[in-house]
Amino acid sequence: MLKAISDTEWWDELKGMLSNHSLLELDVSLAKMTTFGVGGKARYYIEPGSVNDLRIAIEGARDRGKPIFFIGRGSNLLVPDEGFNGMIVRLNRKYWRGISSEADGRIYAGGGARLKEICRVACKLGLSGFEFLEGIPGTLGGGLAMNAGAMGSRIFDLIEEVEFIRYDGELKKERRDWFQVGYRECRELENSVVLSAILRADTEEVERTIKEKLEHFARERKKSQPGGRNAGCIFKNPAGEYTGQIIDELGLKGRRVGGAEISNLHGNFIVNRGNATCADVIALIKDVREEVRRNRGIDLRPEVLLLGRDWDEVL
Ligand SMILES: Cc1cc2nc3c(=O)[nH]c(=O)nc-3n(C[C@H](O)[C@H](O)[C@H](O)COP(=O)(O)OP(=O)(O)OC[C@H]3O[C@@H](n4cnc5c(N)ncnc54)[C@H](O)[C@@H]3O)c2cc1C
């Protein structure tokens, strides 16, 4: 049964239960933890330093009835201006970012490891097949939750096994076939946190060939994607079409609401021109959806996630 204690007392109690390898803070700005750079604060923020601390944090939030959300690099995330009145957990301590070479062309990576770093290590080891990760600015956990992909490949193609904890506390280890992944989603990882995974390459190639592929992919991205603050593609592609092309054909590039602007380089990117609010981004998303629905009869679905909210409530 819950003791009748205040939220502050609960938080202090939780702090006392975690090791000093964990970081706990109140009222942390989330804008700086996302690539979009918009939005408010998280009331409770934790970077757990071990699996045990992670479990205690999840259990603590659950028992206290606080919503919980895992954030990786925040590269597919829009944070509401009012912030998040729950617990944000980030696997950002060194403990979660390890990457190591295993037998037979396998790579172990922690849930907080950067995809770019995994790509770099694979390249060094002469393992091919990881090159498409080069330009995806997320973490392993975020990449798996989104089934991130590029250049015709997706991250689950590389997966042998994933270790994760469900919010109810169950620790699981599952092989790739167990996951029913879809386009930018993995239902089995909802309400779960990825601790680590074993990735494996299909082929071995000389480092030079891999480097050539990497350079080619990087050039392609540079040509087609804007720099600055953004969250990658805003909308999913409808079957058989490219959202960026549809937006381009409708002449919507450059359209702006407040500080949020549709990129002139890629129609499916919204760029934060420096002072955008979440409300600006949402207004622009609604505007684009309306234009596309009216002119093309297509109902665009956002790829970017809205922290703590369901898009259907907002759109
Ligand atoms: C410039 C740019 C280019 C991009 N290009 C691509 C691209 O080519 N292909 C592509 O697919 N995406 C792309 N993205 C989007 C984004 O990088 C990916 O979706 C990425 O996988 C998100 O990872 P993240 O760590 O930033 O996750 P976040 O944005 O922090 O979170 C995304 C989801 O993952 C969950 N999550 C985070 N960590 C964990 C964890 N440890 N366990 C379980 N769930 C977790 C979150 O709860 C959330 O549901 C791009 C983004 C940018 C800014």
Side-chain angles (χ1 to χ4, degrees), residues 35 69-77 91 111-112 115 132 135-150 167 184 189 192-195 221 225-226 230-233 269 303 305:
T35 54
F69 190 87
F70 284 86
I71 185 173
R73 270 278 282 139
S75 62
N76 196 52
L77 197 61
L91 303 187
L115 296 174
F132 71 97
I136 308 179
T139 59
L140 175 72
L144 289 171
M146 294 305 304
N147 190 19
Y167 289 2
R184 299 292 178 265
L189 288 177
S192 299
V193 53
V194 172
L195 306 181
R221 274 191 187 268
Q225 293 183 2
N230 65 74
C233 287
F269 275 55
E303 177 171 325
L305 304 176

mmCIF file of all heavy atoms in Angstrom, residues 35 69-77 91 111-112 115 132 135-150 167 184 189 192-195 221 225-226 230-233 269 303 305, ligand 1:
data_model
loop_
_atom_site.group_PDB
_atom_site.id
_atom_site.type_symbol
_atom_site.label_atom_id
_atom_site.label_comp_id
_atom_site.label_asym_id
_atom_site.label_seq_id
_atom_site.Cartn_x
_atom_site.Cartn_y
_atom_site.Cartn_z
ATOM 1 N N THR A 35 17.146 16.472 -30.571
ATOM 2 C CA THR A 35 17.767 17.113 -31.734
ATOM 3 C C THR A 35 16.903 18.268 -32.253
ATOM 4 O O THR A 35 17.404 19.151 -32.929
ATOM 5 C CB THR A 35 17.995 16.088 -32.862
ATOM 6 O OG1 THR A 35 16.753 15.438 -33.145
ATOM 7 C CG2 THR A 35 19.035 15.053 -32.474
ATOM 8 N N PHE A 69 9.016 7.416 -19.271
ATOM 9 C CA PHE A 69 9.370 7.445 -20.694
ATOM 10 C C PHE A 69 10.881 7.347 -20.828
ATOM 11 O O PHE A 69 11.620 8.031 -20.117
ATOM 12 C CB PHE A 69 8.878 8.750 -21.340
ATOM 13 C CG PHE A 69 8.997 8.751 -22.842
ATOM 14 C CD1 PHE A 69 7.975 8.245 -23.633
ATOM 15 C CD2 PHE A 69 10.136 9.252 -23.465
ATOM 16 C CE1 PHE A 69 8.086 8.236 -25.025
ATOM 17 C CE2 PHE A 69 10.257 9.242 -24.856
ATOM 18 C CZ PHE A 69 9.228 8.736 -25.633
ATOM 19 N N PHE A 70 11.315 6.485 -21.745
ATOM 20 C CA PHE A 70 12.751 6.338 -21.998
ATOM 21 C C PHE A 70 13.147 7.215 -23.158
ATOM 22 O O PHE A 70 12.487 7.220 -24.194
ATOM 23 C CB PHE A 70 13.093 4.877 -22.297
ATOM 24 C CG PHE A 70 13.101 4.070 -21.057
ATOM 25 C CD1 PHE A 70 11.931 3.515 -20.570
ATOM 26 C CD2 PHE A 70 14.260 3.926 -20.321
ATOM 27 C CE1 PHE A 70 11.921 2.814 -19.379
ATOM 28 C CE2 PHE A 70 14.263 3.231 -19.133
ATOM 29 C CZ PHE A 70 13.089 2.673 -18.661
ATOM 30 N N ILE A 71 14.211 7.934 -22.966
ATOM 31 C CA ILE A 71 14.687 8.791 -24.038
ATOM 32 C C ILE A 71 16.104 8.343 -24.395
ATOM 33 O O ILE A 71 16.899 7.997 -23.520
ATOM 34 C CB ILE A 71 14.623 10.274 -23.599
ATOM 35 C CG1 ILE A 71 15.006 11.215 -24.722
ATOM 36 C CG2 ILE A 71 15.459 10.579 -22.422
ATOM 37 C CD1 ILE A 71 14.777 12.681 -24.352
ATOM 38 N N GLY A 72 16.364 8.293 -25.706
ATOM 39 C CA GLY A 72 17.713 7.936 -26.148
ATOM 40 C C GLY A 72 18.458 9.224 -26.451
ATOM 41 O O GLY A 72 18.798 9.992 -25.553
ATOM 42 N N ARG A 73 18.644 9.482 -27.756
ATOM 43 C CA ARG A 73 19.251 10.755 -28.170
ATOM 44 C C ARG A 73 18.173 11.797 -28.422
ATOM 45 O O ARG A 73 18.467 12.914 -28.823
ATOM 46 C CB ARG A 73 20.057 10.549 -29.461
ATOM 47 C CG ARG A 73 21.474 10.179 -29.242
ATOM 48 C CD ARG A 73 22.349 11.402 -28.957
ATOM 49 N NE ARG A 73 22.665 12.148 -30.169
ATOM 50 C CZ ARG A 73 22.674 13.463 -30.265
ATOM 51 N NH1 ARG A 73 22.346 14.201 -29.234
ATOM 52 N NH2 ARG A 73 22.999 14.051 -31.399
ATOM 53 N N GLY A 74 16.910 11.400 -28.272
ATOM 54 C CA GLY A 74 15.826 12.350 -28.536
ATOM 55 C C GLY A 74 15.826 12.816 -29.982
ATOM 56 O O GLY A 74 15.481 13.956 -30.272
ATOM 57 N N SER A 75 16.183 11.919 -30.898
ATOM 58 C CA SER A 75 16.287 12.346 -32.300
ATOM 59 C C SER A 75 15.035 12.016 -33.106
ATOM 60 O O SER A 75 14.992 12.244 -34.309
ATOM 61 C CB SER A 75 17.528 11.732 -32.960
ATOM 62 O OG SER A 75 17.448 10.325 -32.980
ATOM 63 N N ASN A 76 14.031 11.467 -32.417
ATOM 64 C CA ASN A 76 12.748 11.234 -33.091
ATOM 65 C C ASN A 76 11.617 11.704 -32.182
ATOM 66 O O ASN A 76 10.558 11.114 -32.140
ATOM 67 C CB ASN A 76 12.589 9.741 -33.409
ATOM 68 C CG ASN A 76 11.500 9.503 -34.425
ATOM 69 O OD1 ASN A 76 11.496 10.118 -35.484
ATOM 70 N ND2 ASN A 76 10.553 8.653 -34.102
ATOM 71 N N LEU A 77 11.897 12.781 -31.469
ATOM 72 C CA LEU A 77 11.013 13.148 -30.370
ATOM 73 C C LEU A 77 10.675 14.634 -30.362
ATOM 74 O O LEU A 77 11.560 15.481 -30.493
ATOM 75 C CB LEU A 77 11.733 12.788 -29.059
ATOM 76 C CG LEU A 77 10.886 12.704 -27.815
ATOM 77 C CD1 LEU A 77 9.813 11.629 -27.951
ATOM 78 C CD2 LEU A 77 11.775 12.385 -26.610
ATOM 79 N N LEU A 91 19.443 6.142 -20.659
ATOM 80 C CA LEU A 91 20.583 5.234 -20.454
ATOM 81 C C LEU A 91 21.840 5.919 -20.982
ATOM 82 O O LEU A 91 22.388 5.548 -22.017
ATOM 83 C CB LEU A 91 20.348 3.900 -21.178
ATOM 84 C CG LEU A 91 19.078 3.141 -20.804
ATOM 85 C CD1 LEU A 91 19.053 1.765 -21.467
ATOM 86 C CD2 LEU A 91 18.927 2.999 -19.291
ATOM 87 N N GLY A 111 22.250 -0.614 -24.558
ATOM 88 C CA GLY A 111 21.045 0.087 -25.009
ATOM 89 C C GLY A 111 21.262 1.568 -25.272
ATOM 90 O O GLY A 111 20.544 2.178 -26.056
ATOM 91 N N GLY A 112 22.278 2.160 -24.615
ATOM 92 C CA GLY A 112 22.529 3.592 -24.798
ATOM 93 C C GLY A 112 23.629 3.881 -25.807
ATOM 94 O O GLY A 112 24.010 5.037 -26.004
ATOM 95 N N LEU A 115 24.239 4.695 -32.475
ATOM 96 C CA LEU A 115 24.252 3.899 -33.709
ATOM 97 C C LEU A 115 25.485 4.224 -34.544
ATOM 98 O O LEU A 115 26.106 3.342 -35.136
ATOM 99 C CB LEU A 115 22.973 4.167 -34.513
ATOM 100 C CG LEU A 115 21.664 3.735 -33.821
ATOM 101 C CD1 LEU A 115 20.452 4.166 -34.637
ATOM 102 C CD2 LEU A 115 21.635 2.226 -33.589
ATOM 103 N N PHE A 132 24.574 1.637 -43.079
ATOM 104 C CA PHE A 132 23.403 2.526 -43.118
ATOM 105 C C PHE A 132 23.152 3.232 -41.785
ATOM 106 O O PHE A 132 22.413 4.207 -41.712
ATOM 107 C CB PHE A 132 22.144 1.748 -43.548
ATOM 108 C CG PHE A 132 21.629 0.789 -42.498
ATOM 109 C CD1 PHE A 132 20.594 1.155 -41.657
ATOM 110 C CD2 PHE A 132 22.177 -0.468 -42.356
ATOM 111 C CE1 PHE A 132 20.111 0.283 -40.688
ATOM 112 C CE2 PHE A 132 21.707 -1.357 -41.392
ATOM 113 C CZ PHE A 132 20.678 -0.981 -40.555
ATOM 114 N N GLY A 135 24.314 7.577 -40.578
ATOM 115 C CA GLY A 135 23.663 8.895 -40.520
ATOM 116 C C GLY A 135 22.445 8.944 -39.621
ATOM 117 O O GLY A 135 21.704 9.916 -39.652
ATOM 118 N N ILE A 136 22.213 7.906 -38.830
ATOM 119 C CA ILE A 136 21.029 7.917 -37.958
ATOM 120 C C ILE A 136 21.488 8.329 -36.555
ATOM 121 O O ILE A 136 22.215 7.583 -35.903
ATOM 122 C CB ILE A 136 20.326 6.531 -37.924
ATOM 123 C CG1 ILE A 136 20.042 6.050 -39.353
ATOM 124 C CG2 ILE A 136 19.039 6.616 -37.110
ATOM 125 C CD1 ILE A 136 19.362 4.686 -39.446
ATOM 126 N N PRO A 137 21.071 9.514 -36.114
ATOM 127 C CA PRO A 137 21.687 10.052 -34.896
ATOM 128 C C PRO A 137 21.078 9.542 -33.593
ATOM 129 O O PRO A 137 20.983 10.276 -32.625
ATOM 130 C CB PRO A 137 21.452 11.561 -35.049
ATOM 131 C CG PRO A 137 20.212 11.661 -35.848
ATOM 132 C CD PRO A 137 20.143 10.461 -36.734
ATOM 133 N N GLY A 138 20.651 8.271 -33.553
ATOM 134 C CA GLY A 138 20.010 7.753 -32.344
ATOM 135 C C GLY A 138 20.877 6.760 -31.594
ATOM 136 O O GLY A 138 22.048 6.548 -31.912
ATOM 137 N N THR A 139 20.251 6.140 -30.591
ATOM 138 C CA THR A 139 20.917 5.102 -29.799
ATOM 139 C C THR A 139 20.391 3.734 -30.228
ATOM 140 O O THR A 139 19.379 3.642 -30.936
ATOM 141 C CB THR A 139 20.580 5.277 -28.308
ATOM 142 O OG1 THR A 139 19.150 5.192 -28.172
ATOM 143 C CG2 THR A 139 21.075 6.604 -27.768
ATOM 144 N N LEU A 140 21.039 2.699 -29.732
ATOM 145 C CA LEU A 140 20.560 1.349 -30.043
ATOM 146 C C LEU A 140 19.114 1.167 -29.558
ATOM 147 O O LEU A 140 18.257 0.682 -30.303
ATOM 148 C CB LEU A 140 21.467 0.303 -29.379
ATOM 149 C CG LEU A 140 20.982 -1.133 -29.552
ATOM 150 C CD1 LEU A 140 21.169 -1.602 -30.988
ATOM 151 C CD2 LEU A 140 21.689 -2.081 -28.597
ATOM 152 N N GLY A 141 18.830 1.575 -28.297
ATOM 153 C CA GLY A 141 17.477 1.404 -27.749
ATOM 154 C C GLY A 141 16.429 2.132 -28.579
ATOM 155 O O GLY A 141 15.389 1.570 -28.930
ATOM 156 N N GLY A 142 16.728 3.394 -28.917
ATOM 157 C CA GLY A 142 15.795 4.186 -29.721
ATOM 158 C C GLY A 142 15.670 3.614 -31.126
ATOM 159 O O GLY A 142 14.587 3.599 -31.715
ATOM 160 N N GLY A 143 16.779 3.129 -31.657
ATOM 161 C CA GLY A 143 16.776 2.549 -33.006
ATOM 162 C C GLY A 143 15.910 1.304 -33.066
ATOM 163 O O GLY A 143 15.153 1.097 -34.024
ATOM 164 N N LEU A 144 15.979 0.474 -32.026
ATOM 165 C CA LEU A 144 15.176 -0.757 -32.020
ATOM 166 C C LEU A 144 13.702 -0.440 -31.787
ATOM 167 O O LEU A 144 12.829 -1.018 -32.434
ATOM 168 C CB LEU A 144 15.692 -1.720 -30.943
ATOM 169 C CG LEU A 144 17.051 -2.359 -31.264
ATOM 170 C CD1 LEU A 144 17.587 -3.123 -30.058
ATOM 171 C CD2 LEU A 144 16.946 -3.295 -32.461
ATOM 172 N N ALA A 145 13.435 0.495 -30.870
ATOM 173 C CA ALA A 145 12.036 0.861 -30.601
ATOM 174 C C ALA A 145 11.378 1.393 -31.872
ATOM 175 O O ALA A 145 10.188 1.195 -32.101
ATOM 176 C CB ALA A 145 11.967 1.901 -29.492
ATOM 177 N N MET A 146 12.177 2.083 -32.718
ATOM 178 C CA MET A 146 11.641 2.686 -33.947
ATOM 179 C C MET A 146 11.857 1.790 -35.165
ATOM 180 O O MET A 146 11.454 2.139 -36.257
ATOM 181 C CB MET A 146 12.350 4.020 -34.234
ATOM 182 C CG MET A 146 12.114 5.130 -33.237
ATOM 183 S SD MET A 146 10.374 5.501 -32.968
ATOM 184 C CE MET A 146 9.795 5.858 -34.617
ATOM 185 N N ASN A 147 12.554 0.680 -34.988
ATOM 186 C CA ASN A 147 13.037 -0.106 -36.134
ATOM 187 C C ASN A 147 13.590 0.843 -37.196
ATOM 188 O O ASN A 147 13.143 0.861 -38.349
ATOM 189 C CB ASN A 147 11.948 -1.017 -36.712
ATOM 190 C CG ASN A 147 12.516 -1.996 -37.742
ATOM 191 O OD1 ASN A 147 13.723 -2.248 -37.779
ATOM 192 N ND2 ASN A 147 11.653 -2.533 -38.584
ATOM 193 N N ALA A 148 14.567 1.616 -36.763
ATOM 194 C CA ALA A 148 15.150 2.633 -37.643
ATOM 195 C C ALA A 148 15.773 1.986 -38.873
ATOM 196 O O ALA A 148 16.267 0.855 -38.816
ATOM 197 C CB ALA A 148 16.214 3.419 -36.876
ATOM 198 N N GLY A 149 15.744 2.718 -39.959
ATOM 199 C CA GLY A 149 16.316 2.173 -41.184
ATOM 200 C C GLY A 149 16.711 3.264 -42.148
ATOM 201 O O GLY A 149 16.296 4.414 -42.000
ATOM 202 N N ALA A 150 17.530 2.883 -43.096
ATOM 203 C CA ALA A 150 17.962 3.830 -44.126
ATOM 204 C C ALA A 150 18.595 3.045 -45.262
ATOM 205 O O ALA A 150 19.068 1.918 -45.050
ATOM 206 C CB ALA A 150 18.979 4.820 -43.546
ATOM 207 N N TYR A 167 8.135 -3.010 -18.325
ATOM 208 C CA TYR A 167 7.832 -2.108 -17.206
ATOM 209 C C TYR A 167 7.284 -2.868 -15.997
ATOM 210 O O TYR A 167 7.330 -2.376 -14.883
ATOM 211 C CB TYR A 167 6.818 -1.031 -17.619
ATOM 212 C CG TYR A 167 7.360 0.022 -18.570
ATOM 213 C CD1 TYR A 167 8.663 -0.034 -19.052
ATOM 214 C CD2 TYR A 167 6.559 1.082 -18.981
ATOM 215 C CE1 TYR A 167 9.142 0.920 -19.930
ATOM 216 C CE2 TYR A 167 7.039 2.044 -19.854
ATOM 217 C CZ TYR A 167 8.325 1.957 -20.331
ATOM 218 O OH TYR A 167 8.788 2.906 -21.200
ATOM 219 N N ARG A 184 8.952 1.432 -39.020
ATOM 220 C CA ARG A 184 9.246 2.375 -37.931
ATOM 221 C C ARG A 184 8.473 2.046 -36.647
ATOM 222 O O ARG A 184 8.018 2.948 -35.936
ATOM 223 C CB ARG A 184 8.958 3.824 -38.344
ATOM 224 C CG ARG A 184 9.776 4.291 -39.518
ATOM 225 C CD ARG A 184 11.261 4.420 -39.191
ATOM 226 N NE ARG A 184 11.990 4.816 -40.380
ATOM 227 C CZ ARG A 184 12.597 3.945 -41.205
ATOM 228 N NH1 ARG A 184 12.611 2.652 -40.937
ATOM 229 N NH2 ARG A 184 13.233 4.368 -42.273
ATOM 230 N N LEU A 189 8.422 -4.051 -28.175
ATOM 231 C CA LEU A 189 9.265 -3.249 -27.278
ATOM 232 C C LEU A 189 8.497 -2.095 -26.631
ATOM 233 O O LEU A 189 9.067 -1.314 -25.877
ATOM 234 C CB LEU A 189 10.497 -2.713 -28.023
ATOM 235 C CG LEU A 189 11.554 -3.769 -28.343
ATOM 236 C CD1 LEU A 189 12.696 -3.168 -29.152
ATOM 237 C CD2 LEU A 189 12.106 -4.417 -27.077
ATOM 238 N N SER A 192 8.757 -1.323 -22.717
ATOM 239 C CA SER A 192 9.976 -2.064 -22.367
ATOM 240 C C SER A 192 11.179 -1.154 -22.547
ATOM 241 O O SER A 192 11.111 -0.175 -23.282
ATOM 242 C CB SER A 192 10.178 -3.254 -23.309
ATOM 243 O OG SER A 192 9.111 -4.147 -23.219
ATOM 244 N N VAL A 193 12.266 -1.526 -21.895
ATOM 245 C CA VAL A 193 13.507 -0.792 -22.127
ATOM 246 C C VAL A 193 14.587 -1.774 -22.589
ATOM 247 O O VAL A 193 14.779 -2.826 -21.985
ATOM 248 C CB VAL A 193 13.946 0.010 -20.878
ATOM 249 C CG1 VAL A 193 14.018 -0.843 -19.641
ATOM 250 C CG2 VAL A 193 15.283 0.701 -21.123
ATOM 251 N N VAL A 194 15.245 -1.402 -23.673
ATOM 252 C CA VAL A 194 16.305 -2.246 -24.235
ATOM 253 C C VAL A 194 17.578 -2.054 -23.413
ATOM 254 O O VAL A 194 18.058 -0.931 -23.250
ATOM 255 C CB VAL A 194 16.593 -1.850 -25.704
ATOM 256 C CG1 VAL A 194 17.817 -2.589 -26.232
ATOM 257 C CG2 VAL A 194 15.382 -2.110 -26.581
ATOM 258 N N LEU A 195 18.106 -3.163 -22.912
ATOM 259 C CA LEU A 195 19.355 -3.092 -22.140
ATOM 260 C C LEU A 195 20.559 -3.255 -23.050
ATOM 261 O O LEU A 195 21.569 -2.577 -22.901
ATOM 262 C CB LEU A 195 19.386 -4.195 -21.080
ATOM 263 C CG LEU A 195 18.189 -4.281 -20.124
ATOM 264 C CD1 LEU A 195 18.402 -5.400 -19.126
ATOM 265 C CD2 LEU A 195 17.978 -2.960 -19.412
ATOM 266 N N ARG A 221 23.246 11.790 -47.931
ATOM 267 C CA ARG A 221 22.513 12.489 -46.871
ATOM 268 C C ARG A 221 22.750 13.988 -46.933
ATOM 269 O O ARG A 221 21.840 14.782 -46.779
ATOM 270 C CB ARG A 221 22.969 11.986 -45.495
ATOM 271 C CG ARG A 221 22.242 10.774 -45.057
ATOM 272 C CD ARG A 221 22.531 10.467 -43.614
ATOM 273 N NE ARG A 221 21.942 9.188 -43.286
ATOM 274 C CZ ARG A 221 20.730 9.027 -42.786
ATOM 275 N NH1 ARG A 221 19.978 10.065 -42.523
ATOM 276 N NH2 ARG A 221 20.268 7.828 -42.533
ATOM 277 N N GLN A 225 19.538 16.179 -47.047
ATOM 278 C CA GLN A 225 18.969 16.495 -45.727
ATOM 279 C C GLN A 225 19.552 17.785 -45.158
ATOM 280 O O GLN A 225 20.746 18.030 -45.276
ATOM 281 C CB GLN A 225 19.251 15.347 -44.751
ATOM 282 C CG GLN A 225 18.524 14.075 -45.116
ATOM 283 C CD GLN A 225 18.739 12.963 -44.106
ATOM 284 O OE1 GLN A 225 19.408 13.149 -43.090
ATOM 285 N NE2 GLN A 225 18.186 11.812 -44.384
ATOM 286 N N PRO A 226 18.698 18.569 -44.496
ATOM 287 C CA PRO A 226 19.190 19.826 -43.929
ATOM 288 C C PRO A 226 19.989 19.586 -42.656
ATOM 289 O O PRO A 226 19.804 18.570 -41.987
ATOM 290 C CB PRO A 226 17.898 20.568 -43.584
ATOM 291 C CG PRO A 226 16.917 19.481 -43.292
ATOM 292 C CD PRO A 226 17.277 18.339 -44.192
ATOM 293 N N ASN A 230 16.479 19.467 -36.046
ATOM 294 C CA ASN A 230 15.301 18.815 -36.635
ATOM 295 C C ASN A 230 15.181 17.422 -36.026
ATOM 296 O O ASN A 230 16.026 17.031 -35.218
ATOM 297 C CB ASN A 230 15.433 18.756 -38.164
ATOM 298 C CG ASN A 230 16.587 17.883 -38.615
ATOM 299 O OD1 ASN A 230 16.512 16.666 -38.539
ATOM 300 N ND2 ASN A 230 17.689 18.495 -39.062
ATOM 301 N N ALA A 231 14.157 16.683 -36.422
ATOM 302 C CA ALA A 231 13.981 15.329 -35.871
ATOM 303 C C ALA A 231 13.888 14.309 -36.997
ATOM 304 O O ALA A 231 13.151 13.330 -36.905
ATOM 305 C CB ALA A 231 12.750 15.274 -34.980
ATOM 306 N N GLY A 232 14.623 14.558 -38.072
ATOM 307 C CA GLY A 232 14.560 13.631 -39.203
ATOM 308 C C GLY A 232 13.200 13.746 -39.875
ATOM 309 O O GLY A 232 12.547 14.803 -39.824
ATOM 310 N N CYS A 233 12.756 12.665 -40.496
ATOM 311 C CA CYS A 233 11.471 12.710 -41.208
ATOM 312 C C CYS A 233 10.322 12.895 -40.226
ATOM 313 O O CYS A 233 10.227 12.182 -39.228
ATOM 314 C CB CYS A 233 11.267 11.421 -42.008
ATOM 315 S SG CYS A 233 12.328 11.367 -43.452
ATOM 316 N N PHE A 269 11.206 17.232 -43.749
ATOM 317 C CA PHE A 269 11.914 17.681 -42.543
ATOM 318 C C PHE A 269 11.333 19.025 -42.106
ATOM 319 O O PHE A 269 11.145 19.913 -42.937
ATOM 320 C CB PHE A 269 13.409 17.904 -42.822
ATOM 321 C CG PHE A 269 14.262 16.667 -42.722
ATOM 322 C CD1 PHE A 269 13.966 15.534 -43.461
ATOM 323 C CD2 PHE A 269 15.379 16.645 -41.900
ATOM 324 C CE1 PHE A 269 14.763 14.394 -43.388
ATOM 325 C CE2 PHE A 269 16.184 15.518 -41.812
ATOM 326 C CZ PHE A 269 15.882 14.385 -42.558
ATOM 327 N N GLU A 303 5.851 10.293 -38.083
ATOM 328 C CA GLU A 303 6.875 9.314 -37.673
ATOM 329 C C GLU A 303 7.479 9.779 -36.347
ATOM 330 O O GLU A 303 7.801 8.984 -35.470
ATOM 331 C CB GLU A 303 7.974 9.238 -38.748
ATOM 332 C CG GLU A 303 9.113 8.308 -38.361
ATOM 333 C CD GLU A 303 10.094 8.064 -39.499
ATOM 334 O OE1 GLU A 303 9.667 8.015 -40.673
ATOM 335 O OE2 GLU A 303 11.299 7.910 -39.207
ATOM 336 N N LEU A 305 7.682 11.115 -32.644
ATOM 337 C CA LEU A 305 6.806 10.825 -31.503
ATOM 338 C C LEU A 305 6.576 12.096 -30.702
ATOM 339 O O LEU A 305 7.463 12.952 -30.612
ATOM 340 C CB LEU A 305 7.457 9.770 -30.599
ATOM 341 C CG LEU A 305 7.830 8.447 -31.272
ATOM 342 C CD1 LEU A 305 8.559 7.549 -30.271
ATOM 343 C CD2 LEU A 305 6.594 7.730 -31.796
HETATM 344 C C1 LIG B 1 19.085 14.334 -38.962
HETATM 345 C C2 LIG B 1 18.285 13.093 -38.648
HETATM 346 C C3 LIG B 1 18.309 12.029 -39.534
HETATM 347 C C4 LIG B 1 17.559 10.868 -39.264
HETATM 348 N N1 LIG B 1 17.606 9.842 -40.155
HETATM 349 C C5 LIG B 1 16.903 8.720 -39.897
HETATM 350 C C6 LIG B 1 16.940 7.618 -40.811
HETATM 351 O O1 LIG B 1 17.609 7.645 -41.842
HETATM 352 N N2 LIG B 1 16.209 6.514 -40.510
HETATM 353 C C7 LIG B 1 15.456 6.431 -39.378
HETATM 354 O O2 LIG B 1 14.823 5.394 -39.153
HETATM 355 N N3 LIG B 1 15.406 7.457 -38.500
HETATM 356 C C8 LIG B 1 16.102 8.589 -38.720
HETATM 357 N N4 LIG B 1 16.049 9.627 -37.831
HETATM 358 C C9 LIG B 1 15.185 9.524 -36.627
HETATM 359 C C10 LIG B 1 15.888 8.955 -35.381
HETATM 360 O O3 LIG B 1 17.282 9.208 -35.415
HETATM 361 C C11 LIG B 1 15.641 7.455 -35.218
HETATM 362 O O4 LIG B 1 14.264 7.166 -35.079
HETATM 363 C C12 LIG B 1 16.390 6.891 -33.993
HETATM 364 O O5 LIG B 1 16.313 5.500 -34.011
HETATM 365 C C13 LIG B 1 15.835 7.399 -32.663
HETATM 366 O O6 LIG B 1 16.742 7.016 -31.646
HETATM 367 P P1 LIG B 1 16.871 7.855 -30.303
HETATM 368 O O7 LIG B 1 17.861 7.184 -29.448
HETATM 369 O O8 LIG B 1 17.133 9.276 -30.617
HETATM 370 O O9 LIG B 1 15.413 7.669 -29.707
HETATM 371 P P2 LIG B 1 14.456 8.775 -29.066
HETATM 372 O O10 LIG B 1 14.074 9.763 -30.121
HETATM 373 O O11 LIG B 1 15.038 9.288 -27.825
HETATM 374 O O12 LIG B 1 13.199 7.873 -28.734
HETATM 375 C C14 LIG B 1 12.488 7.233 -29.770
HETATM 376 C C15 LIG B 1 11.705 6.064 -29.174
HETATM 377 O O13 LIG B 1 12.631 5.105 -28.693
HETATM 378 C C16 LIG B 1 12.330 4.781 -27.345
HETATM 379 N N5 LIG B 1 13.575 4.426 -26.659
HETATM 380 C C17 LIG B 1 14.688 5.171 -26.485
HETATM 381 N N6 LIG B 1 15.622 4.472 -25.814
HETATM 382 C C18 LIG B 1 15.078 3.264 -25.553
HETATM 383 C C19 LIG B 1 15.525 2.091 -24.891
HETATM 384 N N7 LIG B 1 16.746 1.980 -24.342
HETATM 385 N N8 LIG B 1 14.687 1.038 -24.822
HETATM 386 C C20 LIG B 1 13.450 1.081 -25.372
HETATM 387 N N9 LIG B 1 12.970 2.153 -26.009
HETATM 388 C C21 LIG B 1 13.778 3.229 -26.100
HETATM 389 C C22 LIG B 1 11.686 6.031 -26.790
HETATM 390 O O14 LIG B 1 10.923 5.735 -25.633
HETATM 391 C C23 LIG B 1 10.846 6.445 -27.966
HETATM 392 O O15 LIG B 1 9.668 5.679 -27.996
HETATM 393 C C24 LIG B 1 16.782 10.794 -38.077
HETATM 394 C C25 LIG B 1 16.780 11.868 -37.175
HETATM 395 C C26 LIG B 1 17.517 13.006 -37.453
HETATM 396 C C27 LIG B 1 17.512 14.132 -36.458
#
